[in-house]
Structure formats: structure tokens, C-alpha cells
Amino acid sequence: DVASDACVGTRNNQFWSNGISFCVNTTNWYLLYGGIKLSGIDHSSVIESGEHPESLATQKWYNMSLTTIAHYVQGRFQDSAVTSKNASIRLGDSGFVTLAASSYVPVQFGHIHVEAVGPSWSVPDSLPVSETSILTLELGLCTPNGLTTDSERFDVLANWQIRHLASGKCITATKSSELRHADEDVVLTLEDCIHGSPAQEFRHDYTKLRNGNMIPLSNGLGAGDLCANKGGRVALTSSPACADTGDSFVVWSLYPNTGQLRTSFGYDPKNSGRVHCLKAVQSKMRPHGAENFLSENTVVL
């Protein structure tokens, strides 16, 4: 009916709060960001809309499709394009293909076809990891379209450790008087995981982190929260690298399907829409004189 919509979408997250959706009801069609809530359409999210030449009937099959490639978008209904040639969408949304309804009504989808289009379907090269690998952290653009790479995949454990899956090592606060970045007392590296080490604890509300909330990750040593700046530096908030709050990311969300720790769960207007992820990278060498906090702050249970 007029108040109920059948929708197809791309780049949607599991909360249907970002991405692109193409929806139809008995009288109208809508192209919009996110989805249609039970309370109705948020017209500020509508990109384009229009009316059907005649009202749709129940108990009848209709064809609808949505294509998105970079800024390009096309919604088709009954095999005819209904969106305009000038329709354009923002970059930065990334997620899933969606089949959805705007309310609790029976909608049947059949003859479903999903096809990868556009250039963003290649997985970056794997991160070479060995027992002698020295890994540090940086911030970079997230791999889109539900894909991911070894460098981006982390597991947030129940004891507040953040374990890099490919290496099996945990993010660790490391102290040195002779660092590559001499203006910092503490840097973050990936080290062997040791249960109970405050240096490896990044305390948070686990449920919120996994369910779309943006929250801080506070290091157990009290040296600050996990942060990164737009230049790619990853540190703690006590570091000069994060002194400019307008240039820094200090809250995080875990995308559980890909294991990515993101600076935004979805579209991020702070950074031209593009979402950034924490990444493990090869370090050329361990800083001379590095003193790991594990040596003096480890509690083994």
C-alpha cells in the first residue's frame, strides 16, 4: 500500500542507516540514502523520487533493480530507468546488498540476481607475516564492498586486548627514549599477546563497539585513548600527533563482518565521506632502545 515500501539497496550497513536504497510503494518510488524507517520517510535523505504512471496491484510480480558505481546510480522499475540521467550519489558508503520492507508487511522477492560492477572488487595484497615480523599501525582507507585484507582484520577480545588476526599479536603501548618520532613517550606496536597486561588493554563497552556506536578505546596504563590523525599516524591521545582534535579520530567502531576497526561505522562527512580503518603494517626496524611496558607491568593470571 501507500504506506509500505519494498526496497533493494547497496552499500547498506545492518542498521539500514547508510548506503543507497531504491524503494517502491503502490503509488511512488524513492531513491534515498539509508532506508525507510517505521515512522516513515526522512525526506532529507531522499535523492530523487517520482510517481508511477498507475497504481501498483497486489498479488503481482514487478521488476526493480539498482546499480551503483562510484557516483553513478540508476534505479529501474519494470525494466525502464526511472531515476534521472543526472542522478549522482556520494562516495564513502560501504556495506551490503539489501532486500527490505519499510514496515511489517508481506513482501516476496524472487528471481534475485546480484552482480559485482565497477572497479572496487579486488582485494589488496596480503600482509606478509612471519615470526620475525615487526609490525606497527597506521590509518588508511578501508577496503570497501565487504572485502578486507590481512592488514585490517582485528579481533577485539573479552579481556580488552585487540588482536591482529594474521599475526596473532596484540596492540601494545610501548615506551622508548629513542623513537623514530622523538616527540612521543609512548607508541603503539604489535607484540605477543599476554593476558592481564595493562599495556595491551583498550577498555571499552564491548556491546556498543560491535553495534554501530562510536566509542573511545582507553589504554589500561592511563596514557590515553587510541587515536589517529588524518596523516595516518596512530598513537594515544596523550601524543602530540593527536593534539589537533579537528584533525584526529578518537572514537572507533568495530565492523564485525570484516573485523575492521573504523573511524566511522558508515558515511563520514568529517573526511569527505570516506571511512578509515586501523591497519597493521611492516616496520622497517624496531626503534633502538625500545622498552616495552610489558616488562614492568605484566600481571599473569
Side-chain angles (χ1 to χ4, degrees), residues 70-91:
H71 289 291
Y72 171 82
V73 61
Q74 184 183 76
R76 298 180 66 87
F77 188 73
Q78 291 297 81
D79 299 320
S80 296
V82 293
T83 52
S84 71
K85 293 181 180 180
N86 296 324
S88 180
I89 53 175
R90 67 196 184 192
L91 293 177

Side-chain angles (χ1 to χ4, degrees), residues 5-8 61 64 98-101 107-112:
D5 299 79
C7 304
V8 294
W61 287 104
M64 59 188 300
T98 303
L99 305 175
V107 175
Q108 185 173 352
F109 294 93
H111 306 286
I112 299 165

Side-chain angles (χ1 to χ4, degrees), residues 5-14 16 20-23 35 61 64-66 96-103 107-114:
D5 299 79
C7 304
V8 294
T10 66
R11 310 179 186 178
N12 296 133
N13 64 15
Q14 58 260 53
W16 213 15
I20 315 299
S21 297
F22 178 52
C23 303
W61 287 104
M64 59 188 300
S65 67
L66 175 66
F96 307 94
V97 167
T98 303
L99 305 175
S102 64
S103 59
V107 175
Q108 185 173 352
F109 294 93
H111 306 286
I112 299 165
H113 176 72
V114 179

Side-chain angles (χ1 to χ4, degrees), residues 68 225 266 301:
T68 54
D225 302 336
L301 301 179

Side-chain angles (χ1 to χ4, degrees), residues 47-160:
I47 304 166
E48 289 190 349
S49 62
E51 296 182 0
H52 303 305
E54 57 184 40
S55 296
L56 307 187
T58 59
Q59 304 298 318
K60 181 179 179 180
W61 287 104
Y62 292 94
N63 298 323
M64 59 188 300
S65 67
L66 175 66
T67 302
T68 54
I69 306 173
H71 289 291
Y72 171 82
V73 61
Q74 184 183 76
R76 298 180 66 87
F77 188 73
Q78 291 297 81
D79 299 320
S80 296
V82 293
T83 52
S84 71
K85 293 181 180 180
N86 296 324
S88 180
I89 53 175
R90 67 196 184 192
L91 293 177
D93 294 280
S94 180
F96 307 94
V97 167
T98 303
L99 305 175
S102 64
S103 59
Y104 298 110
V105 294
V107 175
Q108 185 173 352
F109 294 93
H111 306 286
I112 299 165
H113 176 72
V114 179
E115 181 180 354
V117 294
S120 300
W121 290 96
S122 59
V123 179
D125 293 337
S126 296
L127 176 70
V129 175
S130 68
E131 292 184 359
T132 59
S133 295
I134 299 172
L135 301 175
T136 57
L137 299 166
E138 68 178 20
L139 190 72
L141 288 174
C142 299
T143 306
N145 291 330
L147 304 174
T148 189
T149 179
D150 291 343
S151 64
E152 296 174 348
R153 299 189 66 208
F154 292 88
D155 190 10
V156 179
L157 305 180
N159 63 355
W160 292 321

